[in-house]
Amino acid sequence: MDTRNIRIIRERVIKSFNTIIMTLASLLLLSPMIWMISTSFKKPKDVFTYPIQWIPHDPVWTNHFKVWMTGDGFALFYFNSLKISLILMIGAPLLAAFAAYGFSRIPFKGRDGIFLLYLCLMMIPPQVLFVPKFIMFDWMKIYNTHWALILPGLFTVFGVFMIRQFFMSIPHEISEAAFIDGAGHFRIFFQLFLPLSKPVLATFAIIDFTWTWNDYENALIFLLDKKLFTVPLGMQNFMLEAGVDYNMMMAAATAGVVPLLIVFFLGQKYIIQGFSSSAVKG
């Protein structure tokens, strides 16, 4: 056997070994979700049976129907979360792209220093801002409304940083050629930069949707009316009502995960491309 065949065999063995390791690691990480979905179809007496029944022998579909038909309005919690998450999924990337274009393509005095100070906001724990936000929202008369979650969520330091890194990777010759043809900043932004930045915008939109959908602290502090509750607050409320009804809790948790899975699978092809393109130039 020549050296080339030995090298090919070695590469295939290494690739197969890595595949097995990654598969086992993936199953280990997915096991809590698998148990959650499995438990949502079990009877109460089968929840803690040992060994674990990963596939229920007698699936119970009524758990999922009860989640939507009973309780304190789980469908309303779902609608509230979808409304807030979709608004921010569209608005936050657009506003972040505006700011990123200014920091990357419009020269002005102190631009880099201002951007550095802007990045320093990422080091401030969000819990520190709860009291100032409460005072501001109460003054603006938006406390205990969805605007208390939407307005702050429209402005994200991470989104500006991520999209700016991508804009910095676009050759300056492209925008200079557009200026020579008579295009202004708005036309260059909408007709040139936005179409080129679809991967990074889609990536950030998916990340922002996940953040907003899972946001528990802000909803807990700034929402009082139960009719305004989002899914995380609704889940907590549902757990308090359901008590030790674990199969019902898992059915509600499974329903809460579905939108995240849908958004991820629809946009997964953009994630790696978006992260890699935004890291080309710093």
Side-chain angles (χ1 to χ4, degrees):
M1 185 178 296
D2 57 14
T3 305
R4 183 173 179 275
N5 291 333
I6 294 176
R7 186 174 65 253
I8 293 175
I9 294 174
R10 185 189 300 117
E11 291 176 353
R12 289 179 178 177
V13 170
I14 294 175
K15 185 177 180 179
S16 299
F17 178 77
N18 291 336
T19 302
I20 294 173
I21 295 298
M22 294 301 296
T23 301
L24 293 176
S26 300
L27 291 175
L28 181 63
L29 293 174
L30 289 174
S31 57
M33 181 179 292
I34 296 173
W35 185 85
M36 175 188 71
I37 298 174
S38 173
T39 303
S40 68
F41 292 98
K42 292 180 180 178
K43 297 177 181 178
K45 64 182 181 64
D46 297 328
V47 172
F48 294 108
T49 56
Y50 186 82
I52 298 175
Q53 297 179 9
W54 295 103
I55 300 178
H57 300 306
D58 187 16
V60 179
W61 294 86
T62 55
N63 294 333
H64 291 269
F65 291 107
K66 289 180 181 178
V67 167
W68 296 97
M69 303 304 295
T70 61
D72 223 356
F74 197 75
L76 180 60
F77 304 151
Y78 231 75
F79 173 77
N80 292 336
S81 283
L82 281 176
K83 180 182 74 173
I84 297 172
S85 299
L86 290 177
I87 290 175
L88 293 182
M89 185 181 181
I90 298 172
L94 183 60
L95 290 179
F98 269 115
Y101 180 84
F103 282 124
S104 62
R105 281 298 189 269
I106 301 178
F108 56 89
K109 187 176 181 180
R111 183 187 68 179
D112 295 337
I114 294 175
F115 182 69
L116 181 61
L117 292 175
Y118 189 69
L119 289 182
C120 289
L121 295 175
M122 297 179 67
M123 296 185 291
I124 301 177
Q127 293 79 7
V128 175
L129 302 177
F130 284 155
V131 174
K133 283 183 179 180
F134 175 84
I135 297 173
M136 185 183 300
F137 294 161
D138 186 60
W139 175 74
M140 296 173 63
K141 307 299 182 183
I142 62 172
Y143 180 71
N144 193 33
T145 68
H146 285 160
W147 287 110
L149 303 182
I150 294 173
L151 289 181
L154 289 173
F155 306 95
T156 61
V157 180
F158 174 77
V160 175
F161 170 74
M162 181 179 180
I163 300 173
R164 175 188 176 272
Q165 295 303 100
F166 176 81
F167 286 170
M168 293 289 289
S169 68
I170 299 177
H172 283 269
E173 290 78 10
I174 297 179
S175 54
E176 290 173 358
F179 275 121
I180 293 174
D181 291 337
H185 283 296
F186 278 98
R187 185 175 179 183
I188 293 174
F189 175 75
F190 283 106
Q191 297 186 2
L192 184 61
F193 276 67
L194 280 187
L196 290 175
S197 59
K198 286 181 180 178
V200 69
L201 289 176
T203 301
F204 176 63
I206 295 170
I207 295 173
D208 192 75
F209 183 91
T210 304
W211 285 346
T212 307
W213 186 269
N214 292 325
D215 186 11
Y216 175 77
E217 286 185 335
N218 286 290
L220 178 65
I221 293 174
F222 301 124
L223 297 179
L224 297 177
D225 190 350
K226 192 171 291 185
K227 294 181 180 179
L228 300 174
F229 280 6
T230 56
V231 167
L233 284 183
M235 285 287 301
Q236 181 67 25
N237 183 73
F238 184 81
M239 291 178 186
L240 294 175
E241 289 184 350
V244 293
D245 197 351
Y246 291 104
N247 53 333
M248 290 285 291
M249 293 182 191
M250 294 303 104
T254 301
V257 171
V258 170
L260 298 177
L261 295 178
I262 293 175
V263 170
F264 175 77
F265 284 118
L266 289 178
Q268 61 177 329
K269 65 179 181 179
Y270 294 107
I271 293 179
I272 296 177
Q273 185 179 357
F275 272 117
S276 60
S277 60
S278 63
V280 170
K281 184 175 181 180

